Amino acid sequence: MTKEVFWDNWVIRTAVTWEDIEFIVKKTGVDVIDSGYKQLVEELLEMNKLLSFISAGNVDLKAVKKQIELFEKLFEYMRGFYLREDKLIRKYKLPGLKKQQKDHRKVLGILHGTIQDFKRGKIQAVNDFATL
Protein backbone atom coordinates (compact mmCIF):
# COMPACT_ATOMS: atom_id res chain seq x y z
CA MET A 1 0.00 0.00 0.00
CA THR A 2 1.41 3.37 -1.00
CA LYS A 3 1.65 6.24 1.48
CA GLU A 4 -1.02 8.10 -0.51
CA VAL A 5 -3.48 5.19 -0.35
CA PHE A 6 -2.74 4.69 3.35
CA TRP A 7 -3.34 8.39 4.01
CA ASP A 8 -6.58 8.44 2.00
CA ASN A 9 -7.86 5.37 3.85
CA TRP A 10 -7.04 6.95 7.21
CA VAL A 11 -8.81 10.18 6.23
CA ILE A 12 -11.86 8.23 5.07
CA ARG A 13 -12.05 6.21 8.29
CA THR A 14 -11.64 9.21 10.60
CA ALA A 15 -13.57 11.92 8.76
CA VAL A 16 -16.71 13.30 10.37
CA THR A 17 -17.53 16.22 8.05
CA TRP A 18 -17.41 16.88 4.31
CA GLU A 19 -14.62 19.40 4.90
CA ASP A 20 -12.48 16.63 6.45
CA ILE A 21 -12.62 14.59 3.27
CA GLU A 22 -13.39 16.79 0.28
CA PHE A 23 -9.73 17.16 -0.74
CA ILE A 24 -9.40 13.43 -1.50
CA VAL A 25 -12.72 13.04 -3.33
CA LYS A 26 -12.00 13.05 -7.05
CA LYS A 27 -14.27 15.34 -9.04
CA THR A 28 -15.70 14.29 -12.41
CA GLY A 29 -16.61 17.77 -13.60
CA VAL A 30 -20.24 16.64 -14.06
CA ASP A 31 -22.23 18.57 -11.44
CA VAL A 32 -24.96 15.97 -10.99
CA ILE A 33 -22.41 13.21 -10.38
CA ASP A 34 -20.17 15.34 -8.15
CA SER A 35 -23.10 16.50 -6.01
CA GLY A 36 -24.27 12.89 -5.82
CA TYR A 37 -20.86 11.78 -4.60
CA LYS A 38 -20.90 14.53 -1.98
CA GLN A 39 -24.27 13.31 -0.72
CA LEU A 40 -22.98 9.72 -0.72
CA VAL A 41 -19.90 10.74 1.26
CA GLU A 42 -22.08 12.58 3.76
CA GLU A 43 -24.18 9.43 4.24
CA LEU A 44 -20.99 7.43 4.84
CA LEU A 45 -19.77 10.05 7.31
CA GLU A 46 -22.91 9.45 9.35
CA MET A 47 -21.90 5.80 9.48
CA ASN A 48 -18.38 6.81 10.61
CA LYS A 49 -19.86 8.80 13.50
CA LEU A 50 -22.00 5.87 14.59
CA LEU A 51 -19.10 3.41 14.28
CA SER A 52 -16.94 5.67 16.47
CA PHE A 53 -19.72 5.73 19.04
CA ILE A 54 -20.09 1.92 18.95
CA SER A 55 -16.32 1.33 18.93
CA ALA A 56 -16.07 3.36 22.12
CA GLY A 57 -18.21 0.70 23.80
CA ASN A 58 -21.51 2.52 23.47
CA VAL A 59 -23.48 -0.42 22.12
CA ASP A 60 -27.15 -0.38 22.93
CA LEU A 61 -30.39 -1.18 21.15
CA LYS A 62 -30.73 2.43 19.97
CA ALA A 63 -27.28 2.30 18.31
CA VAL A 64 -28.08 -1.03 16.66
CA LYS A 65 -31.38 0.31 15.29
CA LYS A 66 -29.62 3.45 14.09
CA GLN A 67 -27.00 1.39 12.26
CA ILE A 68 -29.57 -0.69 10.38
CA GLU A 69 -31.52 2.47 9.51
CA LEU A 70 -28.35 4.04 8.14
CA PHE A 71 -27.53 0.90 6.14
CA GLU A 72 -31.00 0.79 4.60
CA LYS A 73 -30.96 4.52 3.80
CA LEU A 74 -27.46 4.20 2.34
CA PHE A 75 -28.47 1.19 0.23
CA GLU A 76 -31.46 2.99 -1.28
CA TYR A 77 -29.45 6.16 -1.95
CA MET A 78 -26.56 4.25 -3.50
CA ARG A 79 -28.78 2.11 -5.69
CA GLY A 80 -30.52 5.19 -7.11
CA PHE A 81 -27.28 7.13 -7.47
CA TYR A 82 -25.56 4.26 -9.27
CA LEU A 83 -28.46 3.89 -11.70
CA ARG A 84 -28.30 7.63 -12.49
CA GLU A 85 -24.52 7.50 -12.84
CA ASP A 86 -24.66 4.51 -15.20
CA LYS A 87 -27.27 6.31 -17.30
CA LEU A 88 -25.06 9.40 -17.57
CA ILE A 89 -22.00 7.34 -18.47
CA ARG A 90 -23.95 5.72 -21.30
CA LYS A 91 -25.53 9.01 -22.42
CA TYR A 92 -22.20 10.85 -22.64
CA LYS A 93 -20.25 7.77 -23.79
CA LEU A 94 -17.78 8.09 -20.91
CA PRO A 95 -15.20 5.34 -20.35
CA GLY A 96 -15.30 2.80 -17.54
CA LEU A 97 -18.94 1.70 -17.50
CA LYS A 98 -18.16 -2.02 -17.03
CA LYS A 99 -15.78 -1.34 -14.13
CA GLN A 100 -18.26 1.06 -12.53
CA GLN A 101 -21.03 -1.51 -12.76
CA LYS A 102 -18.77 -4.20 -11.27
CA ASP A 103 -17.78 -1.88 -8.40
CA HIS A 104 -21.42 -0.90 -7.85
CA ARG A 105 -22.51 -4.55 -7.66
CA LYS A 106 -19.73 -5.27 -5.15
CA VAL A 107 -20.63 -2.38 -2.85
CA LEU A 108 -24.38 -3.01 -3.05
CA GLY A 109 -23.81 -6.73 -2.47
CA ILE A 110 -21.78 -6.08 0.69
CA LEU A 111 -24.36 -3.61 1.94
CA HIS A 112 -27.29 -5.92 1.15
CA GLY A 113 -25.54 -8.81 2.91
CA THR A 114 -24.91 -6.65 5.97
CA ILE A 115 -28.56 -5.61 6.10
CA GLN A 116 -29.65 -9.26 5.83
CA ASP A 117 -27.22 -10.23 8.61
CA PHE A 118 -28.73 -7.59 10.86
CA LYS A 119 -32.23 -8.83 10.10
CA ARG A 120 -31.15 -12.37 11.04
CA GLY A 121 -29.73 -11.12 14.33
CA LYS A 122 -26.05 -11.05 13.39
CA ILE A 123 -25.10 -7.68 14.82
CA GLN A 124 -21.69 -6.09 14.33
CA ALA A 125 -20.08 -2.74 13.75
CA VAL A 126 -19.18 -2.76 10.07
CA ASN A 127 -16.63 -0.50 8.38
CA ASP A 128 -16.00 -2.41 5.14
CA PHE A 129 -17.23 0.58 3.14
CA ALA A 130 -14.42 2.91 4.09
CA THR A 131 -12.03 1.53 1.50
CA LEU A 132 -14.44 0.74 -1.34
Side-chain angles (χ1 to χ4, degrees):
M1 177 180 301
T2 67
K3 287 181 183 180
E4 181 179 300
V5 171
F6 177 81
W7 172 252
D8 288 355
N9 286 342
W10 182 83
V11 170
I12 291 167
R13 289 179 186 273
T14 60
V16 293
T17 67
W18 170 250
E19 290 75 21
D20 294 339
I21 201 168
E22 69 180 317
F23 68 94
I24 64 167
V25 176
K26 295 178 178 83
K27 307 270 190 300
T28 66
V30 178
D31 288 340
V32 69
I33 292 175
D34 290 340
S35 66
Y37 275 128
K38 181 179 179 188
Q39 178 64 38
L40 177 58
V41 167
E42 288 174 345
E43 297 291 341
L44 291 169
L45 291 173
E46 284 302 309
M47 187 64 69
N48 274 5
K49 290 176 195 173
L50 181 62
L51 290 171
S52 293
F53 179 78
I54 291 170
S55 295
N58 300 309
V59 180
D60 59 18
L61 189 54
K62 184 178 177 181
V64 171
K65 286 182 179 180
K66 179 71 173 170
Q67 190 172 22
I68 192 62
E69 289 170 8
L70 285 173
F71 279 135
E72 288 174 334
K73 181 180 175 186
L74 183 61
F75 182 85
E76 290 304 317
Y77 180 80
M78 290 172 79
R79 184 169 58 175
F81 176 74
Y82 289 160
L83 289 172
R84 289 186 300 276
E85 184 181 55
D86 290 353
K87 187 177 178 180
L88 288 169
I89 289 171
R90 280 197 277 306
K91 179 179 179 178
Y92 293 105
K93 297 178 174 77
L94 300 172
L97 179 62
K98 296 280 189 208
K99 181 179 181 330
Q100 285 290 95
Q101 289 174 325
K102 180 182 173 188
D103 292 347
H104 295 168
R105 282 191 301 274
K106 178 182 175 185
V107 172
L108 291 174
I110 291 169
L111 192 50
H112 178 73
T114 300
I115 292 167
Q116 294 309 308
D117 285 348
F118 263 82
K119 289 181 177 179
R120 287 189 292 263
K122 183 179 177 187
I123 300 169
Q124 61 184 346
V126 176
N127 63 0
D128 292 347
F129 305 102
T131 58
L132 294 178

